[in-house]
Amino acid sequence: MKRVVIKVGSHVLTQDGSLAYDRIKNLCSLIAKAMDRYELLLVSSGAVAAGWTKLPLDRRLLANKQALAAVGQPYLISVYQACFDRYEIVVSQLLLGADDFDSRRRTEHARDAVETLLKHKVLPIINENDVTTTEELIFGDNDQLSAHVAYYFDADMLIILSDIDGYYDKDPRVHSDAKILKRVHNIEKEKLELECLPNGEFATGGIVTKLKAANFLLERGKPMFMASGFDLSDVESFLLEDKHKGGTLFEPR
Ligand code: ADP
């Protein structure tokens, strides 16, 4: 069975500062279907937004943000578990940081746990450990975390579900003539050095972190597919019908 990591961003998971329950439901339904064909791991943002629905603190302060993540992470997992109950899928939580991929021994321990979970058809739900990680040790965005998860946990592919339906030749929110790129084989160095401009209160990524994730995998011979997390039809065709209708495939040559 092929192994796939799906990463879903905060824009997809949240709406007006709260969790976007309908979108989470649709995502769970897609994952449940895909689990018949693939071993799946989910990298999910959304802990801070989930926390905010319970405790509306000012999330611009780091200590508040970490407190919100601490409140929100278990709540987010409980929302996922409730969703997956109807498919009789058990979920699990792995909180990882950059240091977990630093040492071979730590990575092996995490990998053994993942292998055991997958063998038993449990869905690992992964997030960065926002509460305790110190600044030097953070990825800071789940795009790059998910690329490490895909590479170190031996996935065949990473799928990033975003608020945009693919990678364009220029920012489609600024340029109305931007064109979607269906296949990308390499990413120019200067594109990776652009400033990260996250596009909302909860987002910490932007397109640059997605390109960095794609580049990390391309350099290691693995593909990444980027598609809309609002409308799941492109990712569904790609995963379940082997049809590349919409979305961008970053593919090693
Ligand atoms: P997420 O919350 O899913 O991680 P972000 O909102 O952080 O996603 O990043 C995606 C956004 O990046 C898009 O909504 C778009 O506004 C912006 N963007 C900038 N340049 C591009 C580009 N060339 N192609 C696609 N999106 C781009």
Side-chain angles (χ1 to χ4, degrees), residues 13-252:
L13 296 169
T14 65
Q15 181 80 48
D16 305 324
S18 180
L19 287 178
Y21 294 97
D22 282 346
R23 289 204 284 268
I24 293 177
K25 232 190 257 169
N26 294 340
L27 176 71
C28 292
S29 154
L30 170 77
I31 290 175
K33 278 188 248 169
M35 278 174 79
D36 290 336
R37 269 186 78 164
Y38 300 95
E39 288 181 339
L40 277 189
L41 295 99
L42 176 65
V43 175
S44 175
S45 310
V48 175
W52 192 81
T53 66
K54 302 274 167 206
L55 185 73
L57 301 179
D58 179 353
R59 56 199 160 239
R60 284 167 304 185
L61 289 174
L62 181 63
N64 283 355
K65 217 173 145 191
Q66 290 182 312
L68 288 172
V71 171
Q73 182 63 29
Y75 176 53
L76 181 66
I77 295 290
S78 77
V79 169
Y80 276 121
Q81 186 60 71
C83 239
F84 280 112
D85 273 346
R86 81 189 67 165
Y87 307 104
E88 295 180 18
I89 292 170
V90 175
V91 309
S92 56
Q93 166 184 275
L94 280 89
L95 298 178
L96 300 175
D99 53 338
D100 289 309
F101 299 101
D102 257 8
S103 98
R104 190 182 296 177
R105 205 171 65 87
R106 285 184 76 140
T107 312
E108 267 166 22
H109 279 299
R111 190 193 290 137
D112 288 346
V114 165
E115 292 292 344
T116 306
L117 292 168
L118 293 177
K119 194 167 85 192
H120 294 281
K121 304 261 172 237
V122 173
L123 176 70
I125 302 180
I126 299 168
N127 197 2
E128 181 145 42
N129 192 351
D130 287 329
V131 184
T132 55
T133 37
T134 52
E135 224 170 293
E136 331 61 273
L137 292 176
I138 58 166
F139 285 107
D141 66 86
N142 274 350
D143 295 323
Q144 291 181 87
L145 170 68
S146 63
H148 280 71
V149 165
Y151 177 68
Y152 286 105
F153 297 162
D154 299 321
D156 297 282
M157 156 158 330
L158 169 63
I159 293 185
I160 288 196
L161 299 179
S162 182
D163 60 348
I164 190 98
D165 59 351
Y167 175 48
Y168 285 73
D169 58 354
K170 46 195 159 186
D171 187 349
R173 305 219 192 268
V174 181
H175 306 273
S176 58
D177 61 340
K179 286 188 190 56
I180 191 162
L181 302 167
K182 205 164 178 192
R183 280 167 192 273
V184 173
H185 298 292
N186 73 298
I187 299 158
E188 294 147 35
K189 204 161 162 264
E190 64 264 28
K191 294 251 159 61
L192 299 168
E193 283 161 1
L194 292 173
E195 207 186 332
C196 298
L197 286 174
N199 158 20
E201 235 173 329
F202 295 111
T204 45
I207 198 68
V208 177
T209 54
K210 288 168 188 56
L211 295 179
K212 284 184 177 165
N215 190 58
F216 176 87
L217 290 173
L218 286 179
E219 283 181 344
R220 288 160 180 80
K222 288 190 193 274
M224 180 181 116
F225 182 64
M226 177 181 163
S228 170
F230 287 105
D231 173 354
L232 297 174
S233 56
D234 287 339
V235 65
E236 186 155 347
S237 308
F238 189 80
L239 271 181
L240 302 179
E241 298 157 25
D242 302 311
K243 286 195 185 120
H244 182 183
K245 290 182 180 159
T248 302
L249 178 62
F250 296 88
E251 199 181 29

